[in-house]
Amino acid sequence: MADWAGLLAELVAVRGAELNRYGFLLTGDRAEAADLVQEALVRVFVRPHRSWDLGRLEGYVRRTMLNRFLDQHRRRRRYALLAPRAAGPEAGADHSGPVADRLQLLDALDALSPAQRACVVLRYYEDLPVAGVAARLGCREGTVKRHLSDGLARLGAALGTDRRAPEEGGGT
């Protein structure tokens, strides 16, 4: 069973940085992203399979990360109902151009619901079609389109733009 150890090492060496970026886009925090990747790897390799290849394995790890991210948000929401949040210190404005734009984008992503954020990340970062996002999330295409529409509208409002995503299928 040492073959799984080699596969794990290869996955981390070849795709580890990309998995961390994916986790960062989901969570918005580097430490949480690293934890998400670690936990997904542990969950996947608890029961390694002989027939895994690197591509299928990475997809399985990404799916595990997505599921864990959504589960964590459900738990946090329940906790927030039971215990009030303590207000943190407000961050000062950052006037360094692209860094400020990035922070604004991350704040806008944080304002999305977990389902909206997952749909936006899968659609525009993973470059999945709407049908692929629906399959990944286990919901209908109409639900994905609604989450994308609402999420993009919220992002546009937060970023001061009024652009919507291009239509799927080229309609009017």
Side-chain angles (χ1 to χ4, degrees):
M1 283 262 118
D3 188 11
W4 69 267
L7 192 56
L8 173 62
E10 182 181 359
L11 176 67
V12 171
V14 173
R15 300 299 294 170
E18 185 62 31
L19 289 172
N20 277 314
R21 277 192 291 275
Y22 179 64
F24 178 74
L25 285 173
L26 287 173
T27 63
D29 181 74
R30 290 189 194 284
E32 280 187 54
D35 288 345
L36 191 62
V37 172
Q38 292 280 333
E39 188 168 341
L41 290 172
V42 167
R43 286 176 181 255
V44 168
F45 280 97
V46 164
R47 289 191 215 136
H49 300 281
R50 290 185 197 187
S51 63
W52 276 347
D53 62 19
L54 195 59
R56 289 179 60 198
L57 179 60
E58 180 184 357
Y60 193 62
V61 170
R62 284 176 181 261
R63 175 64 187 199
T64 303
M65 290 171 64
L66 178 64
N67 288 343
R68 186 65 183 140
F69 166 73
L70 292 172
D71 287 345
Q72 286 173 341
H73 270 280
R74 286 184 203 111
R75 286 189 186 115
R76 286 182 186 151
R77 190 173 5 161
R78 276 187 245 136
Y79 179 76
L81 292 174
L82 298 175
R85 289 188 192 182
E90 296 206 15
D94 185 8
H95 302 287
S96 60
V99 174
D101 292 342
R102 178 184 168 137
L103 292 174
Q104 185 180 10
L105 176 61
L106 291 174
D107 287 341
L109 281 171
D110 284 340
L112 299 179
S113 73
Q116 290 171 349
R117 187 172 183 152
C119 286
V120 168
V121 168
L122 291 173
R123 176 71 179 101
Y124 296 104
Y125 180 73
E126 288 286 317
D127 201 25
L128 291 176
V130 171
V133 175
R136 181 85 57 97
L137 293 175
C139 61
R140 295 182 178 196
E141 289 184 32
T143 303
V144 171
K145 288 179 182 179
R146 171 52 51 198
H147 286 312
L148 286 172
S149 176
D150 292 347
L152 291 174
R154 289 176 76 179
L155 285 174
L159 298 175
T161 61
D162 192 19
R163 289 185 254 164
R164 290 199 166 240
E167 295 292 323
E168 293 293 320
T172 56

